[in-house]
Amino acid sequence: MEFTLADLPADRVPAVVALCGRALDLPEDAAEAESVVTALWPRASADRTVLAVGAYAGDDLIGVLIGSVSAADPRLGHVDLLAVAPQRRRRGVGRALVAEAERRLAGLGVAELLLAGNPPYYAWPGIDVRYTPAVCLALALGYRQDRTAWNMTADLSYDGSPALRTTEPAEARLAGQGVSVRRAEPADLPALAAFARSTFGGAWDGELAGSVGRADAGCHLAERDGEILGFAAWGSSRPSWFGPMGTAPAAEGSGIGGVLLRRCLRDQHEAGISAAQIGWVGPVPFYSGSAGARIERVFFLYRRTL
């Protein structure tokens, strides 16, 4: 099959969304194709170098790759999205798109390419193990798996779900300790970013900015005497995804984290989301106990020196 590769101009976003709606095999990914493409391409372009390449058979867009340069380390590049139309697979399209990304990113000074998410704009931590052709392609191209990540799923489909347990008693208890919990507003962003940066490092500023004050997203915070003690956010890149969240070390064990988590999950439920993805999970027991979440999506992360 003959095809050509070309840069994708910004006005091709709708065509890329349409292709991803057909090419992303997992229904939960296809349903959020517009959010995924918008986060990885137009939104991410404001903060980092983004590469968008299309594969064409005649005038038909049959494949797309979105890649980026790490804002934290310009020697690292990422493949953020690779999608090929189902009827055009196993004909070299994906291989050609990755090779083009390698060539172009190397020209920008990238020394190592990761098949892994590039926060704060990412759709997956890596390759979902159920995308078997993508795993096979990574191995065939000489990428090595260096990490495994996983998501947990919180069931929001029924009112009695553990993820939707009321937070009112816990909030009343916290209030008795001088801790108030509320929805974050855009005016809170500087303080939230400063708290996240000083407590957890500088990786979450962008995700907080993508959650506070945006449609299909939100954030809640806990504070005492004007001092932030914790936050939880959702919808930064995808409406169904929860995170990031963090609690000040001095407030750990206070119940603040569970309250913030379930307030966000309630928001997602009220937005019509039936299952929330807690992305790139660390503390599995916390999410299991606080929201009845279960490990579900598993991702392989790959890298290769260029």
Side-chain angles (χ1 to χ4, degrees):
M1 179 187 69
E2 292 188 1
F3 58 89
T4 59
L5 304 182
D7 285 330
L8 288 167
D11 63 4
R12 296 294 283 163
V13 167
V16 173
V17 169
L19 173 64
C20 289
R22 302 190 308 272
L24 295 174
D25 293 336
L26 298 180
E28 57 266 45
D29 291 338
E32 293 188 335
E34 183 174 7
S35 296
V36 166
V37 172
T38 300
L40 296 180
W41 188 4
R43 285 180 55 208
S45 295
D47 296 322
R48 66 194 189 200
T49 300
V50 173
L51 172 70
V53 180
Y56 290 88
D59 294 330
D60 295 332
L61 181 66
I62 62 170
V64 61
L65 182 145
I66 298 175
S68 60
V69 177
S70 169
D73 185 348
R75 297 168 300 175
L76 297 179
H78 293 257
V79 171
D80 300 300
L81 170 69
L82 177 64
V84 178
Q87 69 275 21
R88 306 283 188 165
R89 293 174 184 167
R90 303 185 68 83
R91 303 182 187 183
V93 177
R95 182 183 291 265
L97 285 166
V98 174
E100 180 68 5
E102 292 175 345
R103 184 185 68 80
R104 299 275 294 279
L105 290 170
L108 295 173
V110 167
E112 193 169 24
L113 187 59
L114 282 65
L115 308 184
N118 185 5
Y121 307 100
Y122 70 96
W124 307 272
I127 299 175
D128 188 303
V129 296
R130 292 171 293 176
Y131 285 113
T132 303
V135 171
C136 292
L137 177 63
L139 296 173
L141 294 177
Y143 285 80
R144 62 179 177 85
Q145 180 191 346
D146 70 330
R147 283 180 291 164
T148 301
W150 49 86
N151 287 4
M152 297 182 76
T153 301
D155 189 349
L156 311 181
S157 65
Y158 63 105
D159 286 335
S161 167
L164 300 175
R165 284 186 290 119
T166 180
T167 60
E168 290 180 1
E171 289 187 45
R173 177 178 54 78
L174 289 170
Q177 301 169 12
V179 177
S180 60
V181 183
R182 62 177 175 85
R183 186 179 303 279
E185 303 295 339
D188 296 312
L189 265 175
L192 279 168
F195 169 76
R197 202 177 302 122
S198 63
T199 310
F200 308 105
W204 287 343
D205 292 23
E207 290 179 76
L208 285 166
S211 297
V212 177
R214 287 185 61 246
D216 298 321
C219 179
H220 295 262
L221 63 83
E223 60 187 354
R224 179 164 48 206
D225 298 329
E227 178 186 359
I228 294 176
L229 299 176
F231 68 87
W234 64 278
S236 175
S237 292
R238 300 179 57 167
S240 66
W241 283 43
F242 168 87
M245 75 168 293
T247 303
E252 290 179 0
S254 65
I256 286 174
V259 168
L260 294 170
L261 166 64
R262 291 198 302 279
R263 282 176 68 114
C264 288
L265 296 177
R266 174 65 67 176
D267 280 356
Q268 291 176 286
H269 170 72
E270 291 176 353
I273 295 166
S274 61
Q277 288 289 303
I278 304 170
W280 227 320
V281 169
V284 170
F286 165 74
Y287 289 111
S288 176
S290 297
R294 63 188 185 276
I295 296 173
E296 191 171 69
R297 299 193 69 170
V298 177
F299 304 86
F300 292 159
L301 284 65
Y302 293 91
R303 64 197 308 148
R304 188 169 86 83
T305 300
L306 300 182

